[in-house]
Amino acid sequence: KYDFLFVGRFSEEKCIFDLISSFEMCLKNNKNFKMALVGYGSLESSIKETICEKHIGNSIDLFINKGELAEIYLSSKIFCLFSSREGAPIVLLEAMSYGLPIICTNIDGNLNYVVDKRNGFLFSNGDICTASKLMTDITLNEKLQQEIRDNNLNDVKKFSLEKTAEKTMREIEFPGMSKMLGNFFSPLL
């Protein structure tokens, strides 16, 4: 149902207007493309205005309620994150867990999870032409989507709570801390 998906806060650092501009460029190649934007935030009304001004409202669905999120992930082909800065974008792990290929900026936080051409595709922040080309090319290449889907479903396993807890405990070097963390994490595992 959706060729492209964004999930997150509607805030400046998410660069949603760059995403909308890239999507608008994609529509010049294929008027049937659809995108879902899921989130909320201070830019919600500006996003709605921009979509109306660009006359692309029939191609973008805006969701404020995350109640349908699993269904939206399952009905989407590619996840897009155009952020100018990120800490640890858990939303990328979420997208990976659904097997979605990822198109995102090559900023530090994203590089923790996305390896270019393995489980997603990276572009420079603000480069909407490259982003648009990636979006169009990947959407039209089902074989590549399947390859990346398989990689993501495999790669996301290394970020499980159990693996993260094990890695954290191995990295603790002073006595007693490992046991304390083990007691803390064991009910979660």
Side-chain angles (χ1 to χ4, degrees), residues 58-69:
N58 291 336
S59 300
I60 298 179
D61 288 338
L62 196 62
F63 297 90
I64 308 306
N65 181 355
K66 289 187 175 186
E68 304 171 50
L69 192 55

Side-chain angles (χ1 to χ4, degrees), residues 48-65:
K48 289 177 181 177
E49 287 173 24
T50 300
I51 291 168
C52 286
E53 288 170 6
K54 292 179 177 282
H55 306 288
I56 56 176
N58 291 336
S59 300
I60 298 179
D61 288 338
L62 196 62
F63 297 90
I64 308 306
N65 181 355

Side-chain angles (χ1 to χ4, degrees), residues 37-147:
L37 302 176
V38 182
Y40 60 91
S42 60
L43 297 179
E44 184 181 332
S45 60
S46 297
I47 290 167
K48 289 177 181 177
E49 287 173 24
T50 300
I51 291 168
C52 286
E53 288 170 6
K54 292 179 177 282
H55 306 288
I56 56 176
N58 291 336
S59 300
I60 298 179
D61 288 338
L62 196 62
F63 297 90
I64 308 306
N65 181 355
K66 289 187 175 186
E68 304 171 50
L69 192 55
E71 184 180 321
I72 295 169
Y73 269 113
L74 290 169
S75 64
S76 298
K77 291 182 181 179
I78 295 170
F79 186 83
C80 299
L81 188 64
F82 282 40
S83 299
S84 59
R85 66 180 185 272
E86 286 286 348
I90 301 303
V91 71
L92 291 179
L93 293 176
E94 209 171 76
M96 289 170 68
S97 73
Y98 283 93
L100 295 184
I102 296 166
I103 297 174
C104 67
T105 48
N106 59 355
I107 60 171
D108 285 342
N110 295 346
L111 296 176
N112 291 329
Y113 305 116
V114 178
V115 177
D116 196 33
K117 298 178 182 75
R118 173 170 170 73
N119 64 337
F121 296 85
L122 301 167
F123 67 95
S124 297
N125 185 39
D127 187 354
I128 63 172
C129 292
T130 297
S132 177
K133 181 167 177 21
L134 286 169
M135 290 167 74
T136 300
D137 291 351
I138 298 163
T139 302
L140 299 175
N141 188 336
E142 291 184 20
K143 182 181 177 192
L144 180 59
Q145 286 178 48
Q146 186 59 52
E147 179 183 319

